[in-house]
Each structure stands twice: as C-alpha cells, then as structure tokens.
Amino acid sequence: CQYCGRTPPEIKLVVDHLIPVAQGGTDVFENLVTSCEDCNSGKSDKLIKDFTGGFNKEEWAEHIQTKHLYILKERREKLDEIKQHWASS
C-alpha cells in the first residue's frame, strides 16, 4: 500500500485515484496508486494531501519508509533480547 506500506499476501491491494473520480480524477497512470482496502476506504474521495496530513505521494512514501525502518529496528532489538534470554537460560 502506498499509504501505509503494508504488502501482500497479508493484505489485498486495490487501485486508488490520487485525485478522486468524484473530484474530476481520471484513470491516467499518473493518477493511480496501489492501496490496501483499509486506506482506500479511509481516504474515500479526499485528495492525497488531505488524507496524509499535507504530504504529497513521494513525501508520504518516504515518511512511511522511515517509519517502517524504525519498526523493523525495534523488532530486531526485541528479537535480540529474546535470543539473549534463551541463550542464558
């Protein structure tokens, strides 16, 4: 999902319009992104900047990537703690 970063197979991706059809958006490639069903229904007929708190598509992708890297780092640290605990038992 280009909004939240989730990926298949855990979630189903759908096509979303950056400029909603209800606001004059078309099916041209530059106006389409993949999104999960949750984000797509949450975004509804809003413009991307209204949905993302002011970020454009590229800024939002970078924001999500940074967030995911932070989450992965936290998970690795937790796994290391668990491995240390089991190794010392």
Side-chain angles (χ1 to χ4, degrees):
C1 175
Q2 291 193 13
Y3 300 124
C4 71
R6 295 187 294 173
T7 59
E10 293 81 22
I11 57 104
K12 179 182 175 184
L13 293 176
V14 296
V15 176
D16 185 36
H17 294 83
L18 293 172
I19 300 172
V21 174
Q23 295 191 30
T26 65
D27 290 338
V28 296
F29 180 77
E30 294 77 19
N31 192 44
L32 303 174
V33 295
T34 55
S35 69
C36 66
E37 291 178 325
D38 291 339
C39 286
N40 190 28
S41 25
K43 179 179 168 282
S44 186
D45 64 349
K46 298 178 190 91
L47 294 172
I48 189 167
K49 287 190 173 204
D50 295 333
F51 175 68
T52 63
F55 292 105
N56 67 29
K57 180 178 144 185
E58 291 77 20
E59 293 167 337
W60 186 248
E62 184 177 328
H63 172 75
I64 291 298
Q65 179 70 17
T66 300
K67 188 175 181 179
H68 279 206
L69 290 174
Y70 177 77
I71 291 168
L72 286 173
K73 181 180 177 235
E74 284 185 327
R75 287 180 183 169
R76 283 188 193 114
E77 289 170 358
K78 285 284 185 196
L79 286 172
D80 287 343
E81 287 177 27
I82 292 168
K83 286 193 305 190
Q84 278 186 335
H85 172 75
W86 284 103
S88 66
S89 296

Coordinates of all heavy atoms in Angstrom, one line a residue:
C1 N 0.9 -1.2 0.0 CA 0.0 0.0 0.0 C 0.9 1.2 0.0 O 1.8 1.4 0.8 CB -0.9 0.0 1.2 SG -1.9 1.5 1.4
Q2 N 0.6 2.1 -0.9 CA 1.5 3.3 -1.0 C 1.1 4.4 0.1 O 1.8 5.4 0.2 CB 1.4 3.9 -2.4 CG 2.0 3.0 -3.4 CD 2.2 3.7 -4.7 OE1 2.1 4.9 -4.9 NE2 2.6 2.9 -5.7
Y3 N 0.1 4.1 0.9 CA -0.2 5.0 2.0 C 0.3 4.5 3.3 O 0.9 5.2 4.1 CB -1.7 5.2 2.1 CG -2.4 5.8 0.9 CD1 -3.4 5.1 0.2 CD2 -1.9 7.0 0.4 CE1 -4.0 5.6 -0.9 CE2 -2.5 7.5 -0.8 CZ -3.6 6.8 -1.4 OH -4.1 7.3 -2.5
C4 N 0.1 3.2 3.6 CA 0.6 2.7 4.9 C 1.8 1.7 4.8 O 2.4 1.4 5.8 CB -0.6 2.0 5.6 SG -1.1 0.4 4.9
G5 N 2.1 1.2 3.6 CA 3.3 0.4 3.4 C 3.0 -1.1 3.6 O 3.9 -1.9 3.4
R6 N 1.8 -1.5 3.9 CA 1.6 -2.9 4.1 C 1.6 -3.6 2.7 O 1.4 -3.0 1.7 CB 0.2 -3.2 4.7 CG 0.2 -2.7 6.1 CD -1.1 -3.1 6.9 NE -2.2 -2.4 6.3 CZ -3.5 -2.7 6.6 NH1 -3.8 -3.6 7.5 NH2 -4.5 -2.0 6.0
T7 N 1.9 -4.9 2.7 CA 2.1 -5.6 1.4 C 1.4 -6.9 1.4 O 1.1 -7.5 2.5 CB 3.6 -5.9 1.2 OG1 4.1 -6.7 2.3 CG2 4.5 -4.7 1.1
P8 N 1.1 -7.5 0.2 CA 0.5 -8.8 0.1 C 1.5 -9.8 0.6 O 2.7 -9.5 0.7 CB 0.3 -9.0 -1.4 CG 0.4 -7.6 -2.0 CD 1.2 -6.8 -1.1
P9 N 1.2 -11.0 1.0 CA -0.1 -11.5 0.9 C -1.0 -11.2 2.2 O -2.2 -11.6 2.2 CB 0.1 -13.0 0.8 CG 1.4 -13.2 1.6 CD 2.2 -12.0 1.4
E10 N -0.5 -10.5 3.1 CA -1.3 -10.2 4.4 C -2.5 -9.4 4.1 O -3.5 -9.4 4.8 CB -0.4 -9.6 5.4 CG 0.7 -10.4 6.0 CD 1.9 -10.5 5.1 OE1 2.1 -9.6 4.3 OE2 2.6 -11.5 5.3
I11 N -2.4 -8.5 3.1 CA -3.5 -7.6 2.7 C -3.7 -7.7 1.2 O -2.9 -8.0 0.5 CB -3.2 -6.2 3.2 CG1 -1.9 -5.6 2.6 CG2 -3.1 -6.1 4.7 CD1 -2.2 -4.7 1.5
K12 N -4.9 -7.3 0.9 CA -5.3 -7.2 -0.5 C -5.1 -5.8 -1.0 O -5.6 -4.8 -0.4 CB -6.8 -7.6 -0.7 CG -7.3 -7.5 -2.1 CD -8.7 -7.9 -2.2 CE -9.3 -7.7 -3.6 NZ -10.7 -8.0 -3.6
L13 N -4.4 -5.6 -2.1 CA -4.2 -4.3 -2.7 C -5.3 -4.0 -3.8 O -5.7 -4.9 -4.5 CB -2.8 -4.2 -3.3 CG -1.7 -4.2 -2.4 CD1 -0.3 -4.2 -3.2 CD2 -1.7 -3.1 -1.4
V14 N -5.7 -2.7 -3.8 CA -6.6 -2.3 -4.8 C -6.0 -1.0 -5.5 O -5.1 -0.5 -5.0 CB -8.0 -1.9 -4.2 CG1 -8.6 -3.2 -3.6 CG2 -7.9 -0.9 -3.1
V15 N -6.7 -0.6 -6.6 CA -6.2 0.7 -7.2 C -7.0 1.8 -6.7 O -8.2 1.8 -6.5 CB -6.5 0.6 -8.8 CG1 -6.1 1.9 -9.5 CG2 -5.7 -0.6 -9.4
D16 N -6.2 2.9 -6.4 CA -6.8 4.1 -5.8 C -6.5 5.3 -6.7 O -5.4 5.3 -7.4 CB -6.3 4.4 -4.4 CG -7.0 5.6 -3.8 OD1 -8.2 5.8 -4.0 OD2 -6.4 6.3 -3.0
H17 N -7.4 6.3 -6.8 CA -7.1 7.5 -7.5 C -6.6 8.6 -6.6 O -7.2 8.9 -5.6 CB -8.4 8.0 -8.2 CG -9.0 7.1 -9.2 ND1 -9.8 6.0 -8.9 CD2 -8.9 7.1 -10.5 CE1 -10.1 5.4 -10.0 NE2 -9.6 6.0 -11.0
L18 N -5.4 9.2 -7.0 CA -4.8 10.3 -6.2 C -5.8 11.4 -6.2 O -6.1 12.0 -5.1 CB -3.5 10.7 -6.7 CG -2.4 9.7 -6.6 CD1 -1.1 10.1 -7.3 CD2 -2.1 9.4 -5.1
I19 N -6.3 11.8 -7.3 CA -7.4 12.8 -7.4 C -8.6 12.0 -7.7 O -8.8 11.3 -8.7 CB -7.2 13.8 -8.6 CG1 -5.9 14.6 -8.4 CG2 -8.3 14.7 -8.7 CD1 -5.5 15.4 -9.6
P20 N -9.5 11.9 -6.7 CA -10.7 11.1 -6.8 C -11.5 11.4 -8.0 O -11.6 12.5 -8.4 CB -11.4 11.4 -5.5 CG -10.4 12.0 -4.5 CD -9.5 12.7 -5.4
V21 N -12.2 10.3 -8.5 CA -13.1 10.5 -9.7 C -14.1 11.5 -9.3 O -14.5 12.3 -10.1 CB -13.7 9.1 -10.0 CG1 -14.7 9.3 -11.1 CG2 -12.6 8.2 -10.5
A22 N -14.6 11.5 -8.1 CA -15.7 12.4 -7.6 C -15.2 13.9 -7.7 O -16.0 14.8 -7.8 CB -16.1 12.1 -6.2
Q23 N -13.9 14.1 -7.8 CA -13.3 15.4 -7.9 C -12.7 15.7 -9.3 O -11.9 16.6 -9.4 CB -12.3 15.7 -6.8 CG -13.0 15.7 -5.4 CD -12.0 16.2 -4.3 OE1 -11.1 17.0 -4.6 NE2 -12.2 15.7 -3.1
G24 N -13.1 14.9 -10.2 CA -12.6 15.1 -11.6 C -11.4 14.2 -12.0 O -10.8 14.4 -13.1
G25 N -10.9 13.3 -11.1 CA -9.7 12.5 -11.4 C -10.1 11.5 -12.5 O -11.2 11.1 -12.7
T26 N -9.0 11.1 -13.2 CA -9.2 10.2 -14.3 C -8.4 8.9 -14.1 O -7.7 8.8 -13.1 CB -8.8 10.8 -15.7 OG1 -7.4 11.0 -15.6 CG2 -9.5 12.1 -16.0
D27 N -8.5 8.0 -15.0 CA -7.8 6.7 -14.9 C -6.4 6.8 -15.6 O -5.8 5.7 -15.9 CB -8.6 5.6 -15.5 CG -9.8 5.3 -14.7 OD1 -9.9 5.6 -13.5 OD2 -10.8 4.7 -15.3
V28 N -5.8 7.9 -15.8 CA -4.5 8.0 -16.3 C -3.5 7.4 -15.3 O -3.7 7.5 -14.1 CB -4.0 9.5 -16.7 CG1 -4.9 10.0 -17.8 CG2 -4.0 10.4 -15.5
F29 N -2.4 6.8 -15.8 CA -1.5 6.1 -14.9 C -1.0 7.0 -13.8 O -0.8 6.5 -12.6 CB -0.3 5.6 -15.8 CG 0.7 4.9 -15.0 CD1 0.5 3.6 -14.6 CD2 1.9 5.5 -14.6 CE1 1.5 2.9 -13.8 CE2 2.9 4.8 -13.9 CZ 2.7 3.5 -13.5
E30 N -0.6 8.3 -14.0 CA -0.1 9.2 -13.0 C -1.1 9.4 -11.9 O -0.7 9.9 -10.8 CB 0.4 10.5 -13.7 CG 1.5 10.4 -14.6 CD 1.1 9.8 -16.0 OE1 -0.1 9.8 -16.4 OE2 2.0 9.3 -16.7
N31 N -2.3 9.1 -12.1 CA -3.3 9.4 -11.0 C -3.7 8.1 -10.2 O -4.5 8.2 -9.4 CB -4.6 10.0 -11.7 CG -5.6 10.5 -10.6 OD1 -5.1 11.2 -9.7 ND2 -6.8 10.2 -10.8
L32 N -3.0 7.0 -10.6 CA -3.4 5.8 -9.9 C -2.2 5.3 -9.0 O -1.1 5.4 -9.3 CB -3.7 4.7 -11.0 CG -4.8 5.0 -11.9 CD1 -4.9 3.9 -13.0 CD2 -6.1 5.2 -11.2
V33 N -2.6 4.7 -7.9 CA -1.7 4.1 -6.9 C -2.3 2.8 -6.4 O -3.5 2.6 -6.5 CB -1.3 5.0 -5.7 CG1 -0.6 6.2 -6.2 CG2 -2.5 5.4 -4.9
T34 N -1.4 1.9 -5.8 CA -2.0 0.8 -5.1 C -2.2 1.2 -3.7 O -1.3 1.9 -3.1 CB -1.0 -0.4 -5.3 OG1 0.2 -0.1 -4.8 CG2 -1.0 -0.9 -6.7
S35 N -3.3 0.7 -3.1 CA -3.5 0.9 -1.7 C -4.3 -0.3 -1.2 O -4.9 -1.0 -1.9 CB -4.3 2.2 -1.5 OG -5.7 2.0 -2.0
C36 N -4.2 -0.4 0.2 CA -4.9 -1.5 0.8 C -6.4 -1.1 0.9 O -6.7 0.1 0.8 CB -4.3 -1.9 2.2 SG -4.5 -0.6 3.4
E37 N -7.2 -2.0 1.1 CA -8.7 -1.7 1.2 C -9.0 -0.7 2.3 O -9.8 0.1 2.2 CB -9.5 -3.0 1.3 CG -9.5 -3.7 0.0 CD -10.3 -5.0 0.0 OE1 -10.3 -5.7 1.1 OE2 -10.9 -5.4 -1.0
D38 N -8.2 -0.9 3.5 CA -8.5 0.0 4.6 C -8.1 1.4 4.3 O -8.9 2.3 4.6 CB -7.6 -0.5 5.8 CG -8.1 -1.8 6.4 OD1 -9.2 -2.2 6.2 OD2 -7.3 -2.5 7.1
C39 N -7.0 1.6 3.7 CA -6.6 3.0 3.4 C -7.5 3.6 2.3 O -7.9 4.7 2.3 CB -5.1 3.1 2.9 SG -3.9 2.9 4.3
N40 N -7.8 2.7 1.3 CA -8.6 3.2 0.2 C -10.0 3.7 0.7 O -10.5 4.7 0.4 CB -8.8 2.1 -0.8 CG -9.5 2.6 -2.1 OD1 -9.4 3.8 -2.5 ND2 -10.2 1.7 -2.8
S41 N -10.6 2.9 1.6 CA -11.9 3.3 2.2 C -11.7 4.5 3.1 O -12.6 5.3 3.2 CB -12.7 2.2 2.8 OG -11.9 1.2 3.3
G42 N -10.6 4.6 3.8 CA -10.4 5.7 4.7 C -10.2 7.0 4.0 O -10.6 8.1 4.4
K43 N -9.4 6.9 2.9 CA -9.2 8.1 2.0 C -10.4 8.5 1.3 O -10.7 9.7 1.2 CB -8.1 7.8 1.0 CG -7.8 8.9 0.1 CD -6.7 8.5 -0.9 CE -6.6 9.6 -2.0 NZ -7.6 9.5 -3.0
S44 N -11.2 7.6 0.9 CA -12.5 7.9 0.3 C -12.3 8.8 -0.9 O -11.5 8.6 -1.8 CB -13.5 8.4 1.3 OG -14.8 8.5 0.7
D45 N -13.0 9.9 -0.9 CA -12.9 10.9 -2.0 C -12.1 12.1 -1.7 O -12.2 13.2 -2.2 CB -14.3 11.3 -2.5 CG -15.1 12.1 -1.4 OD1 -14.6 12.1 -0.3 OD2 -16.1 12.6 -1.8
K46 N -11.1 11.9 -0.7 CA -10.2 13.0 -0.3 C -9.0 13.1 -1.3 O -8.6 12.1 -1.8 CB -9.7 12.8 1.1 CG -10.8 12.8 2.2 CD -10.1 12.5 3.5 CE -11.1 12.2 4.6 NZ -11.4 10.8 4.7
L47 N -8.5 14.3 -1.4 CA -7.2 14.4 -2.1 C -6.1 13.8 -1.2 O -6.2 13.8 0.0 CB -6.9 15.9 -2.4 CG -7.8 16.6 -3.4 CD1 -7.5 18.1 -3.4 CD2 -7.7 16.0 -4.7
I48 N -5.0 13.4 -1.8 CA -3.9 12.7 -1.0 C -3.4 13.6 0.1 O -3.2 13.2 1.2 CB -2.8 12.2 -1.9 CG1 -1.9 11.4 -1.1 CG2 -2.1 13.3 -2.7 CD1 -0.9 10.5 -1.9
K49 N -3.2 14.9 -0.2 CA -2.7 15.8 0.9 C -3.7 15.9 2.1 O -3.2 16.1 3.2 CB -2.4 17.2 0.3 CG -1.1 17.2 -0.6 CD -0.7 18.5 -0.9 CE 0.7 18.4 -1.6 NZ 1.4 19.6 -1.5
D50 N -5.0 15.8 1.8 CA -5.9 15.8 2.9 C -5.9 14.5 3.7 O -6.1 14.5 4.9 CB -7.3 16.1 2.3 CG -7.5 17.4 1.7 OD1 -6.7 18.4 2.1 OD2 -8.3 17.6 0.8
F51 N -5.6 13.4 3.0 CA -5.6 12.1 3.7 C -4.3 12.0 4.5 O -4.3 11.4 5.6 CB -5.7 11.0 2.6 CG -5.5 9.6 3.2 CD1 -6.5 9.1 4.0 CD2 -4.5 8.9 2.8 CE1 -6.4 7.8 4.6 CE2 -4.3 7.6 3.3 CZ -5.3 7.1 4.2
T52 N -3.2 12.5 4.0 CA -1.8 12.2 4.6 C -1.4 13.4 5.5 O -0.2 13.3 5.9 CB -0.8 12.0 3.5 OG1 -0.7 13.2 2.7 CG2 -1.1 10.8 2.6
G53 N -2.2 14.3 5.7 CA -1.8 15.4 6.6 C -0.9 16.4 5.9 O -0.1 17.0 6.5
G54 N -1.0 16.5 4.6 CA -0.2 17.5 3.9 C 0.9 17.0 3.0 O 1.5 17.7 2.2
F55 N 1.2 15.7 3.2 CA 2.3 15.1 2.3 C 1.8 14.8 0.9 O 0.6 14.5 0.7 CB 2.7 13.7 2.9 CG 3.4 13.8 4.2 CD1 2.8 13.5 5.4 CD2 4.7 14.2 4.3 CE1 3.4 13.5 6.6 CE2 5.4 14.2 5.5 CZ 4.7 13.9 6.7
N56 N 2.7 15.0 0.0 CA 2.4 14.5 -1.4 C 2.7 13.1 -1.5 O 3.2 12.5 -0.5 CB 3.0 15.4 -2.5 CG 4.5 15.2 -2.5 OD1 5.1 14.2 -2.1 ND2 5.2 16.3 -3.0
K57 N 2.5 12.4 -2.6 CA 2.7 11.0 -2.7 C 4.2 10.6 -2.4 O 4.4 9.6 -1.6 CB 2.3 10.5 -4.1 CG 2.5 9.1 -4.4 CD 2.1 8.8 -5.8 CE 2.9 7.7 -6.5 NZ 2.6 7.5 -7.9
E58 N 5.1 11.3 -2.9 CA 6.5 11.0 -2.7 C 7.0 11.2 -1.3 O 7.7 10.4 -0.7 CB 7.4 11.8 -3.7 CG 7.3 11.4 -5.1 CD 6.0 11.9 -5.8 OE1 5.4 12.9 -5.3 OE2 5.7 11.3 -6.8
E59 N 6.5 12.3 -0.7 CA 6.8 12.6 0.7 C 6.2 11.6 1.6 O 6.8 11.1 2.6 CB 6.3 14.0 1.1 CG 7.0 15.1 0.4 CD 6.3 16.5 0.6 OE1 5.1 16.5 0.8 OE2 7.0 17.5 0.4
W60 N 5.0 11.2 1.3 CA 4.3 10.2 2.2 C 5.0 8.8 2.1 O 5.2 8.2 3.1 CB 2.9 10.0 1.7 CG 2.1 9.1 2.6 CD1 1.6 7.9 2.3 CD2 1.7 9.4 4.0 NE1 0.9 7.4 3.4 CE2 1.0 8.2 4.4 CE3 1.9 10.4 4.9 CZ2 0.4 8.1 5.7 CZ3 1.4 10.3 6.1 CH2 0.7 9.2 6.5
A61 N 5.5 8.4 0.9 CA 6.2 7.2 0.7 C 7.5 7.2 1.5 O 7.8 6.2 2.2 CB 6.5 6.9 -0.8
E62 N 8.2 8.3 1.5 CA 9.4 8.5 2.3 C 9.1 8.4 3.8 O 9.8 7.7 4.6 CB 10.1 9.8 2.0 CG 11.5 9.9 2.7 CD 12.2 11.2 2.2 OE1 12.0 11.6 1.1 OE2 12.9 11.8 3.1
H63 N 8.1 9.1 4.2 CA 7.6 9.1 5.6 C 7.3 7.6 6.1 O 7.8 7.2 7.1 CB 6.4 10.0 5.8 CG 5.8 9.9 7.1 ND1 6.3 10.5 8.2 CD2 4.6 9.3 7.5 CE1 5.5 10.3 9.3 NE2 4.5 9.6 8.9
I64 N 6.6 6.9 5.3 CA 6.2 5.5 5.6 C 7.5 4.6 5.6 O 7.6 3.8 6.5 CB 5.2 5.0 4.6 CG1 3.9 5.7 4.8 CG2 5.0 3.5 4.7 CD1 3.2 5.5 6.1
Q65 N 8.4 4.8 4.7 CA 9.6 4.0 4.6 C 10.4 4.3 5.9 O 10.9 3.3 6.5 CB 10.4 4.4 3.4 CG 11.7 3.6 3.3 CD 11.6 2.2 3.0 OE1 10.5 1.7 2.6 NE2 12.6 1.4 3.2
T66 N 10.6 5.5 6.3 CA 11.3 5.8 7.6 C 10.6 5.2 8.8 O 11.3 4.6 9.6 CB 11.4 7.3 7.8 OG1 12.0 7.9 6.6 CG2 12.1 7.7 9.0
K67 N 9.3 5.2 8.8 CA 8.5 4.6 9.9 C 8.7 3.1 9.9 O 8.9 2.5 11.0 CB 7.1 5.0 9.7 CG 6.2 4.6 10.8 CD 4.8 5.1 10.6 CE 3.8 4.7 11.7 NZ 2.5 5.3 11.5
H68 N 8.7 2.5 8.8 CA 8.9 1.0 8.7 C 10.3 0.6 9.1 O 10.5 -0.4 9.8 CB 8.6 0.5 7.3 CG 7.2 0.3 7.0 ND1 6.7 -0.6 6.1 CD2 6.1 0.9 7.6 CE1 5.4 -0.5 6.1 NE2 5.0 0.4 7.0
L69 N 11.3 1.4 8.7 CA 12.7 1.1 9.2 C 12.8 1.2 10.7 O 13.5 0.3 11.3 CB 13.7 2.0 8.5 CG 13.9 1.8 7.0 CD1 14.8 2.9 6.4 CD2 14.4 0.4 6.7
Y70 N 12.2 2.1 11.3 CA 12.2 2.3 12.7 C 11.5 1.1 13.4 O 12.0 0.5 14.4 CB 11.5 3.6 13.1 CG 11.4 3.7 14.6 CD1 12.5 4.2 15.4 CD2 10.2 3.5 15.3 CE1 12.4 4.3 16.7 CE2 10.1 3.7 16.7 CZ 11.2 4.1 17.4 OH 11.1 4.2 18.8
I71 N 10.4 0.6 12.9 CA 9.6 -0.5 13.4 C 10.5 -1.8 13.3 O 10.6 -2.6 14.2 CB 8.3 -0.7 12.7 CG1 7.3 0.5 13.1 CG2 7.7 -2.0 13.0 CD1 6.1 0.6 12.3
L72 N 11.1 -2.0 12.1 CA 12.0 -3.1 11.9 C 13.2 -3.1 12.9 O 13.5 -4.2 13.5 CB 12.5 -3.2 10.5 CG 11.5 -3.6 9.4 CD1 12.1 -3.4 8.0 CD2 11.1 -5.0 9.7
K73 N 13.7 -2.0 13.2 CA 14.8 -1.8 14.1 C 14.4 -2.3 15.5 O 15.0 -3.0 16.2 CB 15.4 -0.4 14.1 CG 16.5 -0.2 15.1 CD 17.0 1.2 15.1 CE 18.1 1.4 16.1 NZ 17.8 2.4 17.1
E74 N 13.2 -1.8 15.9 CA 12.6 -2.2 17.2 C 12.4 -3.7 17.3 O 12.7 -4.3 18.3 CB 11.3 -1.4 17.5 CG 11.4 0.0 17.8 CD 10.1 0.7 18.2 OE1 9.1 0.3 17.6 OE2 10.1 1.5 19.1
R75 N 11.9 -4.3 16.2 CA 11.6 -5.7 16.2 C 12.9 -6.5 16.3 O 13.0 -7.5 17.1 CB 10.9 -6.1 15.0 CG 9.4 -5.7 15.0 CD 8.7 -6.1 13.7 NE 7.4 -5.7 13.7 CZ 6.6 -5.7 12.6 NH1 7.0 -6.2 11.5 NH2 5.4 -5.3 12.7
R76 N 13.9 -6.0 15.6 CA 15.2 -6.7 15.7 C 15.8 -6.7 17.1 O 16.4 -7.6 17.6 CB 16.2 -6.1 14.7 CG 16.0 -6.5 13.3 CD 17.1 -6.0 12.4 NE 16.7 -6.2 11.0 CZ 16.5 -5.2 10.2 NH1 16.7 -3.9 10.5 NH2 16.1 -5.4 9.0
E77 N 15.7 -5.5 17.8 CA 16.1 -5.3 19.1 C 15.4 -6.3 20.1 O 16.0 -6.9 21.0 CB 16.0 -3.9 19.6 CG 17.0 -3.0 18.9 CD 16.7 -1.5 19.2 OE1 15.7 -1.1 19.9 OE2 17.5 -0.7 18.7
K78 N 14.1 -6.4 19.9 CA 13.3 -7.3 20.7 C 13.7 -8.8 20.5 O 13.9 -9.5 21.5 CB 11.8 -7.2 20.4 CG 11.2 -6.0 21.0 CD 11.0 -6.2 22.5 CE 10.2 -5.0 23.0 NZ 10.3 -4.9 24.5
L79 N 13.9 -9.1 19.2 CA 14.4 -10.5 18.9 C 15.7 -10.8 19.5 O 16.0 -11.9 20.1 CB 14.4 -10.7 17.4 CG 13.1 -10.9 16.7 CD1 13.3 -10.9 15.2 CD2 12.4 -12.2 17.2
D80 N 16.6 -9.8 19.5 CA 17.9 -10.0 20.1 C 17.8 -10.2 21.6 O 18.5 -11.0 22.2 CB 18.8 -8.8 19.9 CG 19.3 -8.7 18.4 OD1 19.3 -9.7 17.7 OD2 19.8 -7.6 18.0
E81 N 16.9 -9.4 22.3 CA 16.6 -9.6 23.7 C 16.1 -11.0 24.0 O 16.6 -11.7 24.9 CB 15.6 -8.6 24.2 CG 16.1 -7.2 24.3 CD 14.9 -6.3 24.8 OE1 14.0 -6.7 25.4 OE2 15.0 -5.1 24.4
I82 N 15.2 -11.5 23.2 CA 14.7 -12.9 23.3 C 15.8 -13.9 23.1 O 15.9 -14.9 23.9 CB 13.5 -13.1 22.4 CG1 12.3 -12.2 22.8 CG2 13.1 -14.6 22.4 CD1 11.2 -12.1 21.8
K83 N 16.6 -13.7 22.1 CA 17.7 -14.7 21.9 C 18.7 -14.7 23.0 O 19.1 -15.8 23.5 CB 18.4 -14.3 20.6 CG 17.6 -14.7 19.3 CD 18.4 -14.6 18.0 CE 19.1 -13.4 17.8 NZ 19.7 -13.3 16.4
Q84 N 19.0 -13.5 23.6 CA 19.9 -13.5 24.7 C 19.3 -14.2 25.9 O 20.0 -14.9 26.6 CB 20.2 -12.0 25.1 CG 21.3 -11.4 24.2 CD 21.6 -10.0 24.7 OE1 20.8 -9.3 25.3 NE2 22.9 -9.6 24.4
H85 N 18.0 -14.0 26.1 CA 17.3 -14.6 27.3 C 17.4 -16.1 27.1 O 17.7 -16.8 28.1 CB 15.9 -14.1 27.3 CG 15.1 -14.9 28.3 ND1 15.2 -14.6 29.7 CD2 14.1 -15.9 28.2 CE1 14.4 -15.4 30.4 NE2 13.7 -16.2 29.5
W86 N 17.1 -16.6 25.9 CA 17.1 -18.1 25.7 C 18.5 -18.6 25.8 O 18.7 -19.7 26.3 CB 16.5 -18.4 24.4 CG 15.0 -18.4 24.5 CD1 14.2 -17.4 24.0 CD2 14.1 -19.3 25.1 NE1 12.8 -17.6 24.3 CE2 12.8 -18.8 25.0 CE3 14.3 -20.5 25.8 CZ2 11.7 -19.5 25.5 CZ3 13.2 -21.2 26.3 CH2 11.9 -20.7 26.2
A87 N 19.5 -17.9 25.3 CA 20.9 -18.3 25.4 C 21.4 -18.4 26.8 O 22.2 -19.3 27.1 CB 21.8 -17.4 24.5
S88 N 20.9 -17.5 27.7 CA 21.4 -17.5 29.0 C 20.6 -18.5 29.9 O 21.0 -18.7 31.1 CB 21.3 -16.1 29.6 OG 19.9 -15.7 29.7
S89 N 19.5 -19.1 29.4 CA 18.8 -20.0 30.3 C 19.3 -21.4 30.3 O 20.0 -21.9 29.5 CB 17.3 -20.1 29.7 OG 16.7 -18.8 29.8

